[in-house]
Amino acid sequence: MRLKDKVAIITGSGSGLGRASALLFAKEGAKVVVADIVPVDGEETVRRIRGNGGDAVFAQVDVTKGADCENMVKVAVEKYGKLDIMFNNAGILGAAGPIARITEEQWNQVISVNLTGVFLGTKYAIPEMLQRGGGAIINTASVGGIIPTRFGAPYCTTKAAVIQLTKATALDYAARNIRANCILPGVMETPFLSKMGGGPDRIEQYRQIALRSEPIGRFGQPEEVAQVALFLASDEASFVTGSAVAVDGGMLLV
Ligand SMILES: NC(=O)c1ccc[n+]([C@@H]2O[C@H](COP(=O)([O-])OP(=O)(O)OC[C@H]3O[C@@H](n4cnc5c(N)ncnc54)[C@H](O)[C@@H]3O)[C@@H](O)[C@H]2O)c1
């Protein structure tokens, strides 16, 4: 029960890394606001948590919209009385291709979800955390924020910015007991890659390239990110702030 009596919001918890984290946080005693843009997926996460005897509620949110982010914090406070943990995890791969072929619209879409979404989640969580004397913010960046992938400029740029936004948040609020850290997943076994477009052959080709770049020789499992998020969210990480933790099977070593 490492998160006993804590209240957490996890964006993008209708799938993949967010869902695994929501299930683990709830198992460890947290009350979880499952926040996602896709209701059917978010509701399914809530159903699984309740099925395990945990406590969770769904909030539909488009993280690109300030009003939605403000509302998900309200849901946490109205339903559970406070907010201790904000896990800004929702993200998209978006358009891939050489920069000159990326349209303005495609660029703006990736920036809105992956970067503005983290900013808005952080912005609306902080006042509530300050009221209760502190909190923990976790952001999902990526190894792509350190090493760019070919034709992945929009995605990699947003993830590099999320690392810096995390550090800036940590610095601004360190003295007020709000910690901010980010996780840099390598290639994980989630539905994320299948949303890439280009058909199954292209996706399989990308998966094989990615696999070769992970020295550990396999893809990561969502639970392996969830375990690190759990530590960063818990009081065990009380002196950890401004960190970017790679969960990547050694991908950044090569
Ligand atoms: N899977 C990987 O290999 C990998 C690697 C590095 C980083 N990441 C990052 O991990 C995070 C989670 O990815 P995942 O693999 O679980 O992907 P996923 O596609 O399985 O889950 C992403 C979730 O985010 C939700 N979402 C998308 N846009 C949203 C929006 N505007 N508002 C609210 N919710 C929205 C989706 O509905 C989905 O439930 C992302 O930030 C991603 O960039 C993933």
Side-chain angles (χ1 to χ4, degrees):
M1 283 297 193
R2 290 158 70 188
L3 299 181
K4 192 171 175 340
D5 299 328
K6 305 261 192 205
V7 177
I9 297 176
I10 307 178
T11 67
S13 46
S15 177
L17 309 182
R19 174 177 281 169
S21 301
L23 289 166
L24 182 63
F25 282 23
K27 196 173 146 216
E28 292 290 338
K31 297 172 172 102
V32 182
V33 177
V34 173
D36 205 286
I37 199 168
V38 182
V40 66
D41 293 344
E43 296 285 10
E44 172 59 20
T45 303
V46 170
R47 198 189 61 75
R48 290 190 199 184
I49 288 173
R50 290 184 183 155
N52 294 340
D55 195 346
V57 66
F58 173 66
Q60 187 173 13
V61 58
D62 177 350
V63 294
T64 69
K65 297 195 163 62
D68 283 15
C69 293
E70 194 173 10
N71 183 59
M72 76 186 168
V73 174
K74 265 197 199 128
V75 170
V77 175
E78 279 169 13
K79 171 97 177 147
Y80 298 125
K82 59 175 184 162
L83 176 64
D84 302 296
I85 300 156
M86 179 71 230
F87 188 0
N88 295 299
N89 165 76
I92 57 169
L93 198 53
I99 291 175
R101 294 220 199 121
I102 303 288
T103 67
E104 253 183 272
E105 195 188 14
Q106 289 171 329
W107 173 263
N108 287 332
Q109 190 206 12
V110 184
I111 300 276
S112 314
V113 179
N114 292 5
L115 178 56
T116 307
V118 175
F119 161 70
L120 291 171
T122 302
K123 172 181 164 57
Y124 288 107
I126 283 173
E128 193 47 46
M129 290 177 171
L130 289 176
Q131 284 221 1
R132 317 278 154 182
I137 294 170
I138 304 152
N139 299 325
T140 305
S142 168
V143 291
I146 305 277
I147 36 163
T149 47
R150 199 158 169 242
F151 300 149
Y155 183 78
C156 294
T157 303
T158 59
K159 294 303 186 178
V162 168
I163 296 171
Q164 195 69 316
L165 176 57
T166 306
K167 290 173 191 273
T169 307
L171 197 55
D172 283 358
Y173 291 96
R176 301 186 72 185
N177 202 30
I178 295 179
R179 298 181 295 102
N181 294 286
C182 62
I183 296 176
L184 280 48
V187 184
M188 312 300 295
E189 199 82 64
T190 75
F192 188 70
L193 282 185
S194 58
K195 296 173 186 169
M196 190 169 80
D201 288 351
R202 172 87 184 86
I203 291 165
E204 188 49 36
Q205 192 188 13
Y206 181 75
R207 280 169 60 90
Q208 289 312 317
I209 293 168
L211 192 54
R212 282 200 294 277
S213 65
E214 289 192 325
I216 213 164
R218 63 173 176 83
F219 293 120
Q221 294 304 310
E223 293 72 22
E224 293 177 296
V225 162
Q227 289 289 351
V228 176
L230 168 63
F231 168 69
L232 293 172
S234 76
D235 293 338
E236 291 156 32
S238 51
F239 206 55
V240 184
T241 194
S243 293
V245 184
V247 184
D248 67 344
M251 207 168 170
L252 287 179
L253 297 170
V254 292

